[in-house]
Amino acid sequence: MQQTLTEKITQKYTVDAVKDQTIYSGDFIYIKPAYVMTHDNTGAIIPKFNSIGAKKIFDPNQVVITLDHNVQDKSEKNLTKYKKIEEFARTMGTHFYPAGRGIGHQIMCEEGFAFPGTLVVASDSHSNMYGGLGCLGTPIVRTDAAAVWATGKTWWKVPPIAKVNLNGKLNDGVSGKDVIITLCGRFNKDEVLNHVVEFSGDGVANLSIDDRLTIANMTTEWGALAGVFPIDNITINWYYDRINYYGENERINKSKINELKSNKLSADSNAFYSKEINLDLSYVLPSVSGPDTVKVMETMCELKSERIKIDKAYLVSCVNSRVEDLHQATEIMRGKKVAGGVEFYIAAASNQVQKESELKGDWNALLEAGAKPLPPGCGPCIEI
């Protein structure tokens, strides 16, 4: 039997398997992920790590620690927590990114930890986002994160895999966020619950990396354990652009990108999927989820006549807040002011994103319109 992209990536990171075993959906295996990311919840994982008798991290290079969730909390309690996490990272020799660098998932993509064709885990459900770059990103619980720190590996049952065919092209004014809201709202009977979603179809080539990251990220809300886009020329060119703008590092460099270009993993044409879902992108409209659940959605056309009062608005989350998102908001707000009685908050997904947005003039335009800036990070999205 042929393999899906998910099965091929998993095959590369399977350890202690039976000789010549071919990995398929449903298999119980041990995986040694390329990287494991933890964020503010590192503070809760450290005691678990200590409780199993571990004295040092198995592979410090495998561990990435980012502080991104509660970055606005300047209380002594939180600052002490952050200091302890930083000291742990320094003592153990792991990768560490302090508060203000950005949202952990964005950092994983910008710094090359989430790389096409690799398997990466994180103690956060939105690790699905890495799939926008063709990386199999999937969440693990804190206990399993401690186990990866101690042993370099963890167990995994390869989930069922669903194929989502995206065809056509988005109309002007429609974004990747509208695509995933539409998928969540139309296919709202747990069709992909605990699945890996693999995106396919001619419409994929019409989606930017920002759109793909957004769609992959929110497959979490759709119920999936991962959402993976194919590795194509859009992906390759995104890395070349990053090298031209930010230079190379050990994970993102011309040698690695050229190698990736020559050896792109892809699903076999007759691979088995547990189900298939089709969506014509040309029929997607600007849409809103809720209230209270992504299983309910309405288009902006449907809501326009209701004149719903807004008290607060946020352009900040690990789903969005990238350069394209900030630019689209600027195009709407330029020359206008935030309405009276409305508080509009903005935060970039990372300090790199904010700098790019500032250089484009978008960030200051939003501030001039009355937006209130927050530091790069998860902002008010969640408290730990």
Side-chain angles (χ1 to χ4, degrees):
M1 192 192 307
Q2 302 298 297
Q3 289 178 301
T4 64
L5 176 58
T6 299
E7 290 164 340
K8 287 186 176 183
I9 294 174
T10 305
Q11 184 88 50
K12 290 171 53 182
Y13 292 89
T14 300
V15 294
D16 303 335
V18 176
K19 185 179 180 181
D20 298 326
Q21 177 184 358
T22 304
I23 303 302
Y24 296 112
S25 173
D27 288 343
F28 284 91
I29 56 172
Y30 277 100
I31 55 171
K32 185 178 180 181
Y35 295 98
V36 52
M37 189 274 279
T38 63
H39 46 62
D40 293 31
N41 60 21
T42 303
I45 297 170
I46 292 172
K48 296 179 183 294
F49 177 74
N50 293 333
S51 71
I52 59 178
K55 301 299 182 184
K56 63 179 182 178
I57 286 179
F58 180 82
D59 180 3
N61 187 58
Q62 186 186 34
V63 177
V64 184
I65 297 174
T66 67
L67 298 179
D68 63 359
H69 273 53
N70 207 18
V71 298
Q72 296 175 80
D73 183 355
K74 304 300 183 182
S75 67
E76 183 178 349
K77 179 180 178 181
N78 192 60
L79 293 178
T80 298
K81 171 185 171 180
Y82 274 11
K83 183 178 180 181
K84 288 181 178 178
I85 292 173
E86 184 172 2
E87 288 176 349
F88 176 83
R90 184 173 60 252
T91 300
M92 293 293 174
T94 72
H95 300 279
F96 175 77
Y97 295 90
R101 172 61 181 86
I103 297 171
H105 302 303
Q106 181 72 17
I107 293 169
M108 293 293 284
C109 296
E110 289 179 351
E111 297 289 343
F113 296 109
F115 196 79
T118 67
L119 190 159
V120 175
V121 299
S123 58
D124 186 280
S125 61
H126 286 104
S127 50
N128 292 25
M129 180 173 131
Y130 313 151
L133 292 170
C135 168
L136 177 55
T138 194
I140 56 175
V141 298
R142 297 173 183 183
T143 302
D144 287 339
V148 175
W149 284 3
T151 68
K153 61 185 180 182
T154 187
W155 70 274
W156 198 43
K157 181 182 180 182
V158 186
I161 303 164
K163 187 177 187 180
V164 176
N165 297 305
L166 302 176
N167 298 303
K169 186 177 182 179
L170 293 175
N171 292 305
D172 291 343
V174 184
S175 69
K177 186 70 169 287
D178 299 308
V179 173
I180 189 60
I181 288 175
T182 300
L183 286 169
C184 291
R186 285 190 184 176
F187 302 97
N188 58 6
K189 302 293 190 289
D190 295 334
E191 287 90 342
V192 299
L193 182 64
N194 293 329
H195 284 60
V196 172
V197 172
E198 286 191 15
F199 292 98
S200 185
D202 60 60
V204 169
N206 298 318
L207 295 172
S208 69
I209 292 298
D210 277 11
D211 281 333
R212 296 181 191 190
L213 291 171
T214 294
I215 295 167
N217 183 303
M218 248 186 87
T219 58
T220 298
E221 278 69 30
W222 199 14
L225 295 174
V228 186
F229 276 85
I231 305 164
D232 59 10
N233 289 336
I234 305 294
T235 318
I236 301 295
N237 290 335
W238 185 83
Y239 281 103
Y240 282 134
D241 288 342
R242 282 201 64 80
I243 289 172
N244 291 335
Y245 197 91
Y246 290 102
E248 298 182 328
N249 66 25
E250 62 182 291
R251 294 169 299 276
I252 302 178
N253 53 66
K254 289 182 180 178
S255 177
K256 285 195 68 175
I257 305 308
N258 289 337
E259 181 182 349
L260 174 66
K261 190 175 181 180
S262 301
N263 299 285
K264 289 183 289 189
L265 281 181
S266 61
D268 292 322
S269 59
N270 56 347
F272 173 78
Y273 293 91
S274 64
K275 59 188 65 175
E276 289 196 36
I277 291 172
N278 298 295
L279 180 68
D280 188 331
L281 296 178
S282 66
Y283 285 94
V284 175
L285 297 172
S287 303
V288 176
S289 283
D292 303 324
T293 174
V294 296
K295 292 185 176 184
V296 175
M297 63 157 285
E298 293 187 74
T299 67
M300 292 299 294
C301 296
E302 295 168 324
L303 292 175
K304 186 177 180 180
S305 62
E306 296 187 27
R307 306 293 293 175
I308 298 171
K309 184 178 182 297
I310 294 174
D311 298 302
K312 294 184 179 182
Y314 297 89
L315 179 51
V316 44
S317 73
C318 62
V319 183
N320 294 99
S321 290
R322 284 179 285 277
V323 175
E324 281 186 12
D325 307 308
L326 293 166
H327 180 68
Q328 289 168 4
T330 302
E331 291 299 291
I332 295 169
M333 294 298 298
R334 196 183 300 278
K336 303 182 179 70
K337 292 291 183 180
V338 176
V342 176
E343 296 176 60
F344 177 32
Y345 296 92
I346 59 172
S350 73
N351 57 4
Q352 289 187 359
V353 168
Q354 182 171 331
K355 183 177 180 180
E356 284 190 54
S357 183
E358 289 171 346
L359 291 173
K360 289 171 66 73
D362 293 336
W363 187 262
N364 287 336
L366 291 172
L367 296 183
E368 290 171 2
K372 299 181 179 181
L374 300 174
C378 298
C381 189
I382 190 170
E383 296 286 335
I384 289 295

